[in-house]
């Protein structure tokens, strides 16, 4: 495989477009789901040990 700096401009443009599609269509949505799910799991575990929110008993 050629180095990106020595590749022809049209080849480099195609590689960058594929990388953009990978990041925009796969990577960021998967990361967003993982972050939101991880936060929800952390809140769930916190409430399991501390108790649900509400007025003091």
């Amino acid at each position: 495989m050629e180095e990106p700096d020595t590749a022809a401009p049209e080849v480099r443009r195609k590689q960058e477009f594929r990388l953009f599609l990978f990041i925009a269509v796969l990577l960021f949505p998967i990361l967003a789901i993982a972050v939101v799910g991880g936060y929800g799991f952390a809140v769930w575990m916190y409430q399991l040990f501390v108790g649900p929110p509400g007025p003091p008993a």
Side-chain angles (χ1 to χ4, degrees):
M1 186 167 147
E2 294 182 1
E3 291 293 323
D5 295 332
T6 61
E10 48 282 339
V11 173
R12 184 172 177 166
R13 185 176 297 132
K14 184 183 264 187
Q15 289 174 344
E16 288 178 358
F17 183 69
R18 285 183 183 168
L19 181 61
F20 168 74
L21 284 180
F22 170 76
I23 290 172
V25 174
L26 290 176
L27 187 62
F28 282 169
I30 290 170
L31 284 177
I33 291 169
V35 167
V36 171
Y39 177 74
F41 182 77
V43 169
W44 180 41
M45 286 293 115
Y46 173 76
Q47 290 181 354
L48 184 67
F49 292 111
V50 177

